[in-house]
């Protein structure tokens, strides 16, 4: 039942385009006691159907700029292959720390964005 709830929460966040994988990996490693590499691998499998679903909705709503999306997708495929090979050969503790720094950088960026938009209003 917990896994279904985790999937629903991550799916909603993914469908909104906010990086459900970050949420999924964090929840799996913190609350389900799953190894970081297993959580990241599970996220990849989770990502395929959720991204297809979100892509179909966004195509129907004409929200995709194909001239930007196609080169990004091609480059992303190569980057994912490189990153996967690096992650597989990396110690789990280091991978976990890198992921934590990544989440921290996202949080700092979002805090600055929120401050500029809603507090400072420049």
């Amino acid at each position: 039942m917990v896994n279904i709830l985790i999937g629903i929460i991550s799916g909603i966040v993914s469908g909104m385009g906010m990086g459900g994988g970050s949420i999924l990996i964090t929840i799996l490693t913190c609350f389900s006691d799953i190894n970081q590499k297993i959580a990241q691998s599970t996220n990849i499998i989770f990502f395929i159907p959720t991204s297809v679903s979100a892509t179909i909705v966004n195509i129907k709503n004409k929200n995709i700029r194909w001239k930007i999306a196609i080169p990004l997708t091609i480059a992303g495929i190569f980057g994912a292959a490189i990153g996967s090979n690096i992650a597989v050969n990396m110690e789990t503790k280091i991978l976990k720390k890198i992921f934590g720094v990544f989440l921290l950088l996202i949080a700092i960026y979002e805090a600055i964005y929120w401050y500029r938009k809603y507090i400072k209003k420049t």
Side-chain angles (χ1 to χ4, degrees):
M1 185 65 172
V2 172
N3 290 336
I4 292 171
L5 185 60
I6 291 170
I8 290 170
I9 292 168
S10 298
I12 291 169
V13 175
S14 289
M16 295 171 67
M18 294 189 287
S22 299
I23 301 291
L24 180 64
I25 293 168
T26 303
I27 291 172
L28 287 175
T29 56
C30 293
F31 301 112
S32 294
D33 197 33
I34 292 177
N35 177 289
Q36 182 78 20
K37 288 183 181 180
I38 301 297
Q40 287 185 218
S41 299
T42 302
N43 175 57
I44 297 301
I45 296 300
F46 168 85
F47 180 75
I48 295 167
T50 57
S51 64
V52 169
S53 174
T55 301
I56 290 168
V57 170
N58 282 295
I59 288 171
K60 286 181 180 179
N61 292 323
K62 298 181 181 173
N63 289 333
I64 297 176
R65 292 185 181 175
W66 291 103
K67 288 183 181 181
I68 297 171
I70 291 171
L72 282 174
T73 301
I74 293 167
I77 290 168
F78 287 111
I82 293 166
S84 294
N85 283 316
I86 292 170
V88 166
N89 296 307
M90 188 179 289
E91 283 186 44
T92 303
K93 285 183 179 182
I94 295 171
L95 189 60
K96 207 169 195 174
K97 288 178 183 177
I98 291 171
F99 185 69
V101 169
F102 170 72
L103 292 179
L104 181 63
L105 291 173
I106 290 172
I108 291 168
Y109 172 81
E110 289 297 323
I112 291 169
Y113 174 81
W114 185 85
Y115 173 78
R116 287 181 179 164
K117 185 170 183 174
Y118 297 107
I119 304 295
K120 193 173 179 186
K121 293 191 179 188
T122 54

